Amino acid sequence: MPIISGYDLTKRIRERFSLTELPILLLTARSQPKDIENGFLAGANDYVKKPVDALEFKSRVQALAGVKKAMQEKLQIEAAWLQAQIQPHFLFNALNTIMALSEIDLDRMQKVLEAFSQLLRGKFKFTDLNELAPLEDELELVRAYLLIEKERFADRLHIKWEVDDDLQVIIPSLTIQPLVENAIHHGIMNRPEGGQLTICISQLENHIEIRVEDDGVGMEKSKVEGLLKKTASHKSGIGLLNTDLRLKHQFGQGLKIESVKDKGTKVSFMVPNDIGK
């Protein structure tokens, strides 16, 4: 290829996509063992030397396509599991809150019950999570979740919205609510006094930025770096990792996480302006 070699292009692709997310088959006249080794070191899945037999080439392509399909199916299963899961303590606390309000404030109880019903509908709506949904639909789910959590944590949870008007954009399903949930339970509520959650959605020149901030306990740099690695095992890590992968598949870039120990955390992602128009 002109300007850039196949090895260099492969390295660039590997900066964004893993071996299973986007398999690469190198087709080249270079046949020395060192050339083959360099191809695999660059990140290729397979290496075919010219001249190539058509049947062999087709078989190798089909095998790698199967690898990618298996990865996509795994991601979808994991996303559906994350979509459906509701932590037992959240379920019990929500129901306890509703029962307590039934004895002191029926209007507030009705609002929490409606929010709880809306949240359950969103969580158990098994759709293709690679499909795009209107931003407002995602925000409605977030508002329902926050209404319940605000009733539960009262003055320990302060919520600030900074959302530009008339934003018409679509995003992958369930990409904001997991960030909000993570900020509350792993950031803010780890402080005895609680703190503030800020949801900021801004129109920039070429993108819309969606950002979730908290002034909770924050994280050290090493922990931040581990959150989006394929080996993430903590439940919050799995949720963030899955969201990051789905965003990368859709937009080519995923989550950006900034955190300072004892200061708080910012998690953001960008959506191109032309999505949904």
Side-chain angles (χ1 to χ4, degrees):
M1 295 184 296
I3 304 176
I4 186 173
S5 73
Y7 295 150
D8 290 335
L9 177 59
T10 299
K11 289 177 181 178
R12 290 192 183 184
I13 292 173
R14 285 292 164 255
E15 292 175 357
R16 180 179 296 178
F17 299 100
S18 71
L19 289 164
T20 52
E21 290 167 349
L22 184 57
I24 297 174
L25 173 64
L26 292 181
L27 177 61
T28 176
R30 295 182 177 184
S31 58
Q32 296 300 313
K34 189 63 178 178
D35 296 324
I36 297 175
E37 180 187 22
N38 287 337
F40 285 116
L41 289 176
N45 294 71
D46 204 352
Y47 195 104
V48 179
K49 296 178 289 185
K50 297 178 182 178
V52 62
D53 177 77
L55 182 60
E56 177 191 359
F57 183 68
K58 181 179 179 180
S59 298
R60 290 178 182 269
V61 170
Q62 289 176 337
L64 292 181
V67 170
K68 180 177 180 180
K69 182 179 179 181
M71 175 61 184
Q72 291 175 330
E73 290 175 349
K74 176 181 180 296
L75 188 62
Q76 281 296 105
I77 292 171
E78 183 180 90
W81 175 77
L82 289 168
Q83 178 185 16
Q85 80 164 355
I86 297 180
Q87 297 297 331
H89 70 267
F90 173 78
L91 183 64
F92 297 146
N93 285 324
L95 293 174
N96 286 335
T97 298
I98 292 170
M99 288 188 291
L101 288 173
S102 68
E103 299 179 359
I104 60 174
D105 194 322
L106 291 179
D107 289 338
R108 283 168 60 194
M109 184 206 73
Q110 181 67 26
K111 290 180 180 179
V112 173
L113 190 58
E114 289 175 356
F116 188 55
S117 175
Q118 183 178 357
L119 185 64
L120 290 179
R121 285 196 300 271
K123 284 285 191 178
F124 290 102
K125 184 174 63 178
F126 291 101
T127 58
D128 183 350
L129 292 191
N130 284 327
E131 292 182 356
L132 300 177
L135 173 64
E136 185 54 37
D137 288 358
E138 292 299 298
L139 293 183
E140 285 183 4
L141 187 66
V142 172
R143 292 187 188 103
Y145 175 77
L146 287 176
L147 190 150
I148 297 170
E149 293 293 68
K150 178 62 178 175
E151 194 66 49
R152 175 185 172 192
F153 294 117
D155 291 340
R156 291 186 65 208
L157 176 61
H158 302 277
I159 302 166
K160 183 179 181 181
W161 290 86
E162 297 179 354
V163 181
D164 289 352
D165 296 329
D166 302 321
L167 293 177
Q168 301 297 321
V169 68
I170 50 179
I171 63 176
S173 300
L174 281 175
T175 48
I176 301 178
Q177 192 269 338
L179 308 185
V180 169
E181 184 173 352
N182 193 69
I184 293 174
H185 291 281
H186 299 283
I188 295 172
M189 290 305 142
N190 279 332
R191 288 189 183 279
E193 70 277 18
Q196 178 170 289
L197 172 78
T198 301
I199 300 171
C200 181
I201 305 178
S202 306
Q203 175 71 66
L204 306 181
E205 183 176 356
N206 298 315
H207 294 79
I208 290 173
E209 181 188 47
I210 298 176
R211 186 172 74 250
V212 176
E213 298 183 31
D214 69 75
D215 58 1
V217 296
M219 294 174 282
E220 296 178 349
K221 185 177 180 180
S222 59
K223 186 174 181 179
V224 173
E225 293 173 347
L227 284 176
L228 301 183
K229 289 184 178 180
K230 303 297 186 292
T231 55
S233 57
H234 192 278
K235 290 180 180 179
S236 64
I238 293 175
L240 291 177
L241 174 59
N242 186 276
T243 301
D244 180 66
L245 290 175
R246 291 193 292 123
L247 288 170
K248 285 178 178 176
H249 281 197
Q250 189 66 53
F251 303 131
Q253 56 182 336
L255 297 174
K256 178 181 180 182
I257 303 177
E258 303 172 78
S259 188
V260 178
K261 184 70 173 176
D262 298 323
K263 296 292 184 180
T265 302
K266 299 179 184 179
V267 182
S268 63
F269 63 92
M270 297 288 189
V271 180
N273 276 343
D274 58 353
I275 297 295
K277 293 184 179 180

